[in-house]
Amino acid sequence: MSKRILVAAFGVLMNSKEMKRHEIDAYGVAKGVIERHDLEFRGLPSKPQGQPTIIEKPHYIGSRYQVPVLIWSIPEENEDMLDEVESYNIGKFIKKHLPVRIDALTAEGVMDGVPSDEVTALVYIPDGDRISKQLTLPDINLMFSAYQEHGIDTAILVIAAIAARTAYEEREFEAYEKIKECLQSTKLDGENPEIVSHILITKRLLGIDTAKFPFGKGDEN
């Protein structure tokens, strides 16, 4: 009988149908929480969408934070297969072994002798400098289904989604303010946005000083 390892999933692989689809010979043994971590949706600046990730919190405030997970048992020799799946799902990642406090065991978990209080499980965490970004609709639907399937409070997902949306709107507002300031400095405020965009791109490519740009609104020649 091959050796099996425990993997704690906090993203789309919490969804049983999604995990089964990858044919890794995984079965659920427990649900629990990773303490002193928070669930966030983040993505690379160059990508349009985010992925679920977990952020470690300082010890003095960490007790207020916990991330729900589903713990899978997989054959040790299939870890490479799971690496490929997670590489597709979240891109570059780091793997950590983290303590997971157990909330409930499945029948398979009981049969396997999984401890009922705490285990150490393998966790895949997105790597790289990522910013708050919203998940794709298919991904958020997979996570909502998983939370409902395993009896987990979906408010946790709503809070993470609102935080990602708020961060996105703040970035958009900041970008708008910068564009507005640039338009005012070039005397192009109020002009056709598409024309303005082409002019500003051309100006940047040619290295033209904004203050000396000669075709602003109000110029006679």
Side-chain angles (χ1 to χ4, degrees):
M1 183 176 180
S2 63
K3 182 180 178 182
R4 303 185 71 91
I5 60 175
L6 299 180
V7 179
F10 57 82
V12 297
L13 291 183
M14 293 178 73
N15 189 290
S16 296
K17 291 182 179 179
E18 181 66 10
M19 179 60 92
K20 184 177 180 180
R21 182 173 71 85
H22 296 293
E23 300 181 344
I24 302 177
D25 188 21
Y27 56 79
V29 295
K31 68 176 181 178
V33 295
I34 298 176
E35 297 180 310
R36 294 188 292 279
H37 286 72
D38 194 23
L39 177 69
E40 295 187 8
F41 299 155
R42 294 190 177 192
L44 295 170
S46 60
K47 302 293 184 180
Q49 73 282 339
Q51 296 84 30
T53 189
I54 58 174
I55 306 298
E56 187 173 4
K57 294 297 180 178
H59 202 81
Y60 61 91
I61 64 169
S63 60
R64 299 189 309 217
Y65 295 91
Q66 55 186 29
V67 177
V69 295
L70 186 71
I71 302 176
W72 298 98
S73 172
I74 70 168
E76 186 176 40
E77 63 267 22
N78 287 355
E79 185 176 340
D80 288 345
M81 296 173 61
L82 186 57
D83 287 351
E84 293 180 8
V85 172
E86 288 290 41
S87 179
Y88 176 82
N89 285 341
I90 63 178
K92 186 179 180 181
F93 58 77
I94 57 176
K95 296 196 287 188
K96 291 185 177 181
H97 287 87
L98 296 177
V100 181
R101 192 193 54 168
I102 302 299
D103 285 341
L105 295 174
T106 66
E108 291 83 358
V110 173
M111 290 181 61
D112 282 3
V114 175
S116 60
D117 53 354
E118 184 177 287
V119 299
T120 298
L122 178 63
V123 184
Y124 289 76
I125 303 174
D127 195 16
D129 294 328
R130 303 191 180 216
I131 59 177
S132 293
K133 287 195 174 185
Q134 299 175 85
L135 303 189
T136 62
L137 184 58
D139 281 357
I140 196 67
N141 283 341
L142 282 172
M143 290 192 68
F144 262 100
S145 295
Y147 271 52
Q148 292 173 333
E149 174 189 1
H150 303 298
I152 302 171
D153 186 1
T154 55
I156 298 168
L157 290 179
V158 174
I159 292 171
I162 291 174
R165 177 67 185 182
T166 300
Y168 166 78
E169 290 176 346
E170 288 174 350
R171 289 197 304 271
E172 287 293 295
F173 180 75
E174 182 179 347
Y176 167 78
E177 288 295 308
K178 288 181 179 179
I179 292 174
K180 183 178 179 181
E181 182 181 345
C182 186
L183 292 181
Q184 289 172 344
S185 69
T186 57
K187 301 180 181 179
L188 290 169
D189 195 19
E191 297 288 352
N192 182 292
E194 187 174 353
I195 294 175
V196 170
S197 175
H198 289 313
I199 290 175
L200 293 178
I201 290 172
T202 302
K203 174 187 73 63
R204 176 171 293 183
L205 290 174
L206 296 178
I208 300 173
D209 186 353
T210 297
K212 296 179 181 178
F213 195 70
F215 303 114
K217 186 172 68 174
D219 290 337
E220 296 180 357
N221 296 310

